[in-house]
Amino acid sequence: MPRVWLFNVEEVAPEEDLHFDRVFTPKVAAVFPRFLFCLEPGDLTVAPVPVPEDFARYAAAVNGLPEDLRWLRTLPRRTRPYSIVTSILADRRGIFAELRGLGKAGGWQLEPYYQSHRILELSRKTGIPFDPCSAQAVLSGVILELNDKAYFKALMSLVGVPTVRGYLAYDRESLRAAMDRAGKDRRSRIMVKKTRYGGGIGNLSGTPASIRRRLRGWYGGGDVIVEPFLRFASVAGSLATISSGGVRYHGVDEQVFAAGRWAGFRYPHRDDAASRRIRELTLRVARQVRAKNARGDINLDWGILRGGSGRSIPLALECNFRHNGFGYLMRFARRFFGPRAGRMHIRYTEAFPLRPALDTLQALREAAGKLRIGGEPVLIDHPGLKRGAVIMMPPARGACAMAVFGDTPRYADRAAASLWDALG
């Protein structure tokens, strides 16, 4: 059944947050093009901002989508505060009218980034169905709870999964008290996390004194988790899909961060012992979540500590019960590479640096198109290739997003290195 993909990433964060319109929504709008690689022939999506036509055609060529771009719609106006659903509803004679037509015709399904009450409203008003089990989980509050860091800690305690000890704050007074408890002395570093946010944008780290100086421009209310800052050997992300038929485990990646924010990953994780333990714990959590009637992708973040004997100790950090960076690349890999996808080695960089001359997609494709490994082109620009690199976001501000898919770790590392040498 064809799907209408709606990337309502903005609903991950509360609209009343100080940085919602100024920081968060520009970020989520900027990364939209990477989600084009979720689409399959017959699907439709609505873009919050215009996608460069040459990049849309590149994504169409890779995905096997129609070249005339009839699968892509763009919002004529965005509401403030921004919401893709309210923006669609406001465009009554345009996109909303078209979606109502699809609902009347039947045979379509809504596929949101984040399951929410607004998606249920859009489903009701357009007549395009949304998974009934997911709708029940939204109405019961389960989806909202799973994406809340405070609730997630409580759930992990219930199912016996270790987490970082933290303190919940709900106003400035309790936040200052929690910071004092988490920081053992003035030089101790702590982590302060808004319980509802995404991409690390709602996090701060530093000493209690340094964070106090930044609170006025960062905190305007709401729940916050305060934790001691731990130096993890690595941070991992596990992925599973919960459906009516059961739980399907996909794997665990090794995350890459820049300035405290998620910047990409390599897959699979290089720590085999930690990966086995994370798989066991992820399935335990996923089965508990499935019992709550939630359906969809569950992405769990893990901090891996090294014990005194060198043993890996994974601690659960948070849950992303929604489509996510790891998930959309795995979805693309399964569709593009078929049964080989589970054995692929992936290197993904969200802000891949480019030299100044490569400021257009044409220039980038020409430069990347010259690269060969063993006589094979590195750049993927059409279906049917067995390995290579995909440009996941067009050049902007001196960078693009790049994903390398290799059938061996040696190829993935070699291809990534050749791209860095030739393009950076």
Side-chain angles (χ1 to χ4, degrees):
M1 178 181 295
R3 290 163 294 184
V4 177
W5 286 85
L6 293 177
F7 297 100
N8 55 330
V9 190
E10 73 285 350
E11 292 194 55
V12 171
E15 289 182 354
E16 62 271 16
D17 185 83
L18 292 174
H19 296 147
F20 183 81
D21 267 327
R22 184 169 59 86
V23 177
F24 191 69
T25 57
K27 167 70 174 177
V28 300
V31 301
F32 169 79
R34 73 184 190 184
F35 294 112
L36 297 180
F37 294 92
C38 290
L39 274 67
E40 299 180 19
D43 289 349
L44 174 71
T45 191
V46 179
V49 294
V51 178
E53 183 175 334
D54 57 353
F55 185 78
R57 293 189 183 282
Y58 169 74
V62 173
N63 289 335
L65 303 175
E67 295 182 0
D68 59 8
L69 308 185
R70 62 177 179 268
W71 44 269
L72 180 63
R73 304 290 183 274
T74 304
L75 290 175
R77 291 175 300 279
R78 297 199 301 164
T79 58
R80 188 178 179 91
Y82 168 62
S83 161
I84 193 169
V85 171
T86 55
S87 298
I88 289 172
L89 294 175
D91 187 30
R92 298 198 63 81
R93 296 184 179 181
I95 296 174
F96 175 67
E98 181 179 0
L99 295 185
R100 284 193 66 186
L102 297 180
K104 290 180 180 179
W108 289 82
Q109 180 175 323
L110 280 180
E111 184 71 38
Y113 173 90
Y114 174 70
Q115 302 169 20
S116 69
H117 284 82
R118 283 178 173 167
I119 291 296
L120 294 184
E121 179 187 11
L122 186 67
S123 175
R124 178 177 61 83
K125 291 185 175 180
T126 61
I128 302 176
F130 177 56
D131 180 72
C133 202
S134 296
Q136 181 182 353
V138 170
L139 292 172
S140 68
V142 168
I143 303 301
L144 185 63
E145 291 172 340
L146 289 172
N147 287 283
D148 184 281
K149 296 177 179 66
Y151 174 86
F152 177 68
K153 280 185 180 291
L155 179 62
M156 294 304 95
S157 177
L158 178 66
V159 299
V161 174
T163 63
V164 180
R165 182 181 180 183
Y167 305 95
L168 179 63
Y170 50 87
D171 59 18
R172 287 184 180 275
E173 183 178 352
S174 60
L175 176 54
R176 291 190 181 97
M179 290 165 56
D180 289 337
R181 295 180 69 187
K184 296 179 180 179
D185 56 55
R186 293 183 178 180
R187 292 175 294 178
S188 297
R189 291 187 66 186
I190 60 174
M191 288 291 299
V192 181
K193 305 176 180 179
K194 295 174 181 177
T195 60
R196 287 182 56 203
Y197 236 95
I201 299 175
N203 298 349
L204 287 179
S205 68
T207 64
S210 69
I211 291 178
R212 277 194 181 92
R213 291 193 292 268
R214 301 158 67 186
L215 283 182
R216 186 172 184 177
W218 182 83
Y219 181 70
D223 291 349
V224 173
I225 289 285
V226 183
E227 301 170 344
F229 182 88
L230 300 180
R231 296 193 179 278
F232 295 116
S234 66
V235 176
S238 59
L239 180 68
T241 299
I242 303 171
S243 67
S244 57
V247 176
R248 179 184 178 186
Y249 183 78
H250 300 294
V252 57
D253 70 6
E254 184 174 344
Q255 299 186 14
V256 177
F257 292 86
R261 298 176 184 176
W262 185 85
F265 66 88
R266 59 179 294 141
Y267 171 84
H269 199 289
R270 289 172 287 185
D271 188 328
D272 291 338
S275 296
R276 288 191 295 271
R277 178 61 173 159
I278 288 172
R279 181 183 189 277
E280 172 192 340
L281 296 175
T282 299
L283 290 173
R284 184 189 304 179
V285 175
R287 290 176 184 128
Q288 182 74 16
V289 171
R290 185 172 181 271
K292 296 177 178 292
N293 289 321
R295 301 290 183 266
D297 284 351
I298 181 168
N299 170 226
L300 302 178
D301 289 344
W302 305 84
I304 301 176
L305 294 174
R306 286 281 182 264
S309 61
R311 182 172 60 93
S312 299
I313 305 173
L315 301 179
L317 301 179
E318 64 180 67
C319 172
N320 301 304
F321 196 85
R322 54 191 186 249
H323 288 296
N324 53 84
F326 181 23
Y328 91 86
L329 261 85
M330 292 299 287
R331 176 185 292 272
F332 169 79
R334 289 195 301 272
R335 180 169 49 78
F336 193 92
F337 299 105
R340 302 189 306 276
R343 301 186 298 275
M344 298 299 286
H345 295 261
I346 304 174
R347 309 288 184 262
Y348 176 70
T349 304
E350 184 153 291
F352 190 97
L354 300 172
R355 63 176 186 267
L358 304 180
D359 58 349
T360 66
L361 182 64
Q362 180 179 348
L364 175 58
R365 289 186 64 178
E366 288 177 356
K370 296 176 182 178
L371 297 177
R372 298 287 188 276
I373 293 180
E376 298 178 15
V378 171
L379 182 65
I380 292 176
D381 56 8
H382 63 275
L385 301 178
K386 296 181 179 180
R387 57 187 183 179
V390 178
I391 304 168
M392 290 287 178
M393 287 196 293
R397 295 176 294 279
C400 70
M402 187 77 70
V404 173
F405 301 87
D407 51 355
T408 66
R410 183 176 182 274
Y411 174 87
D413 289 337
R414 185 179 176 187
S418 69
L419 287 165
W420 281 86
D421 290 342
L423 308 178

